[in-house]
C-alpha cells in the first residue's frame, strides 16, 4: 500500500522563504508534490477544482485542496487553498495573484492538473478531445503565462535575474505513443513544446522550466494501472511519493543550471531523456525533389527497418530501477 508523504521538516530546507503553486494538488501526484515543497520550506498555494461539500452524515466537509492545506499547516508549514479552474484564464491569473499578494512573490510553479477521457481515435468525440486539451495544455499555458509575466516584471524592476522555477507534467503516453489516448498524448506532447519554448524565453530572467513524465498510481490512472502489482507491504513502486522529490529538487536552487529538460521518473528511478536527433538527411540532386527521386532515396532507407519502429520511443515503458543505462 502507498505510504502517506511525510511533512516532517528536514534540517536543510532549500525552499525556505520561497512561495509555490501546485495545480491539481488535492490528491495523487499534486498532493505529494505540494507536501514535498512544504517539507522543503516553501509556502504553498494548493490548487484543486474540488470544493467543500457535505459528508455522508450531512456535516460540512473540506474539499481536497483544503484537506492538503490542513496537513501542511498541522506540520507547521504555510499553505493556502485555491479552488479555481486553472484552464480558465481569469482563474489562472487569480491563483498567481493570490500567491503574490499573500506570500509577497511567486517563486515556483508546478503544473499538474489533468484529466483523462480515453478512447481510440476513430471513436473519440469532439468534446473528449477538447476537454483533455483544455485542462492539460491550456491549463499549463494559462498559469505559465501569468507566472512568466510576474517574473519578467520583477526582473525589470530589479534590473537582474530573479528566482523562478517551472515544473510541468507530461507523460510517457507522449514519448511512447498510447493507442487509446490520442487526446492525452497530444496534450502531453504540447506541454513539452510549451516547456522548451518557455525555458528559452525566460532564461534571461533567471527562470528555469523543465518537464517530467511521471508514472504513478492515482485516482486518475487507477484504470491504467489496474493490473500493475501492488505490494502488500512497503511503498508501492507506483506511489506518487517516488515523483515528489524530483519536483522538489527541480524547484530548488541546486537545479539552477537545469532547464528545458525532460525527465522520466517513477519507482526510485529518474531517466534523463535526450532531445531528438537527426538520423539521416537526403538532398535533392536538382532544385527540388521529384516523386521519383524521393522514391529512390526513401523507399530503400525504410525497406529494412522494422515496420513498428516509429518516432515513438516505446522503450521508455520498460524503464525500471536497476535496469537500463546508468550515469557513469
Amino acid at each position: 500500500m502507498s505510504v502517506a508523504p511525510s511533512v516532517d521538516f528536514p534540517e536543510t530546507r532549500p525552499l525556505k522563504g520561497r512561495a509555490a503553486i501546485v495545480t491539481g494538488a488535492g490528491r495523487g501526484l499534486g498532493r505529494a508534490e505540494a507536501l514535498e515543497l512544504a517539507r522543503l520550506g516553501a509556502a504553498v498555494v494548493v490548487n484543486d477544482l474540488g470544493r467543500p461539500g457535505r459528508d455522508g452524515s450531512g456535516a460540512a466537509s473540506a474539499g481536497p485542496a483544503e484537506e492538503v492545506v490542513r496537513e501542511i499547516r498541522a506540520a507547521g508549514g504555510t499553505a493556502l487553498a485555491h479552488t479555481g479552474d486553472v484552464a480558465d484564464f481569469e482563474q489562472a491569473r487569480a491563483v498567481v495573484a493570490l500567491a503574490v499578494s499573500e506570500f509577497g512573490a511567486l517563486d515556483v510553479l508546478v503544473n499538474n492538473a489533468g484529466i483523462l477521457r480515453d478512447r481510440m481515435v476513430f471513436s473519440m468525440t469532439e468534446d473528449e478531445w477538447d476537454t483533455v486539451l483544455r485542462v492539460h495544455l491550456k491549463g499549463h499555458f494559462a498559469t505559465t503565462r501569468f507566472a512568466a509575466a510576474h517574473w519578467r516584471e520583477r526582473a525589470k524592476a530589479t534590473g537582474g535575474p530573479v528566482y523562478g522555477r517551472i515544473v510541468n507534467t507530461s507523460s510517457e503516453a507522449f514519448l511512447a505513443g498510447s493507442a487509446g489516448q490520442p487526446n492525452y498524448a497530444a496534450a502531453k506532447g504540447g506541454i513539452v513544446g510549451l516547456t522548451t519554448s518557455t525555458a528559452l524565453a525566460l532564461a534571461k530572467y533567471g527562470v528555469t522550466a523543465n518537464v517530467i513524465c511521471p508514472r504513478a498510481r492515482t485516482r486518475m490512472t487507477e484504470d491504467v494501472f489496474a493490473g500493475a502489482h501492488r505490494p502488500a507491504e512497503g511503498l508501492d513502486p507506483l506511489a506518487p511519493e517516488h515523483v515528489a522529490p524530483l519536483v522538489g529538487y527541480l524547484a530548488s536552487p541546486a537545479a539552477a543550471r537545469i532547464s528545458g529538460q525532460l525527465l522520466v521518473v517513477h519507482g526510485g528511478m529518474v531517466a534523463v531523456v535526450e532531445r531528438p536527433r537527426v538520423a539521416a538527411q537526403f538532398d535533392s540532386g536538382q532544385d527540388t525533389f521529384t516523386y521519383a527521386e524521393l522514391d529512390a532515396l526513401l523507399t530503400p532507407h525504410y525497406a529494412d527497418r522494422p515496420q513498428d519502429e516509429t518516432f515513438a520511443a516505446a522503450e521508455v515503458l520498460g524503464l525500471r530501477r536497476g535496469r537500463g543505462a546508468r550515469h557513469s
Side-chain angles (χ1 to χ4, degrees):
M1 62 184 292
S2 175
V3 178
S6 169
V7 198
D8 295 335
F9 297 144
E11 289 185 15
T12 302
R13 300 175 66 194
L15 295 180
K16 186 175 182 180
R18 303 295 181 187
I21 294 170
V22 184
T23 71
R27 302 180 178 90
L29 272 173
R31 171 181 174 270
E33 292 162 354
L35 293 177
E36 177 68 5
L37 294 179
R39 194 181 75 85
L40 296 178
V44 184
V45 175
V46 179
N47 163 266
D48 197 280
L49 193 56
R51 292 177 171 82
R54 299 283 174 179
D55 62 20
S57 66
S61 63
E66 286 83 359
E67 290 174 359
V68 176
V69 167
R70 287 179 182 177
E71 275 188 88
I72 293 172
R73 288 177 176 174
T78 302
L80 294 170
H82 179 271
T83 57
D85 174 8
V86 290
D88 177 278
F89 221 50
E90 289 309 310
Q91 287 298 319
R93 186 198 308 269
V95 72
V96 171
L98 177 64
V100 174
S101 65
E102 294 296 322
F103 302 140
L106 173 65
D107 303 292
V108 178
L109 171 63
V110 179
N111 283 308
N112 169 77
I115 59 169
L116 291 178
R117 295 291 186 271
D118 294 351
R119 201 177 299 276
M120 299 298 285
V121 68
F122 43 76
S123 303
M124 183 159 288
T125 67
E126 182 179 16
D127 182 66
E128 288 166 342
W129 174 271
D130 289 347
T131 299
V132 169
L133 268 289
R134 177 184 180 276
V135 174
H136 286 274
L137 187 50
K138 186 181 177 184
H140 274 61
F141 160 68
T143 53
T144 297
R145 183 257 184 259
F146 293 108
H150 167 68
W151 288 319
R152 180 172 178 266
E153 289 167 7
R154 277 172 55 193
K156 289 172 67 176
T158 61
V162 299
Y163 191 102
R165 300 284 189 270
I166 299 173
V167 183
N168 287 334
T169 308
S170 183
S171 169
E172 292 168 299
F174 152 69
L175 285 172
S178 182
Q181 297 179 303
N183 49 1
Y184 183 69
K188 292 305 191 183
I191 287 167
V192 174
L194 170 65
T195 305
T196 54
S197 174
T198 301
L200 291 173
L202 300 186
K204 64 182 178 181
Y205 303 120
V207 178
T208 68
N210 293 288
V211 61
I212 63 171
C213 292
R215 190 185 304 180
R217 196 192 311 268
T218 66
R219 190 177 68 160
M220 190 180 86
T221 62
E222 59 186 351
D223 292 337
V224 176
F225 296 122
H229 173 67
R230 189 193 296 264
E233 297 182 358
L235 190 63
D236 183 352
L238 290 172
E241 290 73 36
H242 290 294
V243 176
L246 177 61
V247 173
Y249 168 74
L250 291 174
S252 77
R257 289 178 54 84
I258 303 173
S259 193
Q261 303 300 311
L262 188 152
L263 302 98
V264 176
V265 54
H266 57 80
M269 180 219 73
V270 173
V272 177
V273 179
E274 285 194 331
R275 67 186 187 275
R277 298 184 181 275
V278 177
Q281 177 179 330
F282 300 96
D283 298 326
S284 175
Q286 50 216 357
D287 288 342
T288 189
F289 278 110
T290 64
Y291 170 86
E293 191 178 14
L294 289 169
D295 182 26
L297 292 170
L298 293 179
T299 302
H301 177 74
Y302 285 102
D304 297 326
R305 297 180 66 174
Q307 284 193 305
D308 60 352
E309 182 183 281
T310 71
F311 186 78
E315 63 270 20
V316 299
L317 298 180
L319 290 172
R320 297 290 188 279
R321 183 177 182 177
R323 282 196 230 162
R326 288 176 171 270
H327 171 70
S328 57

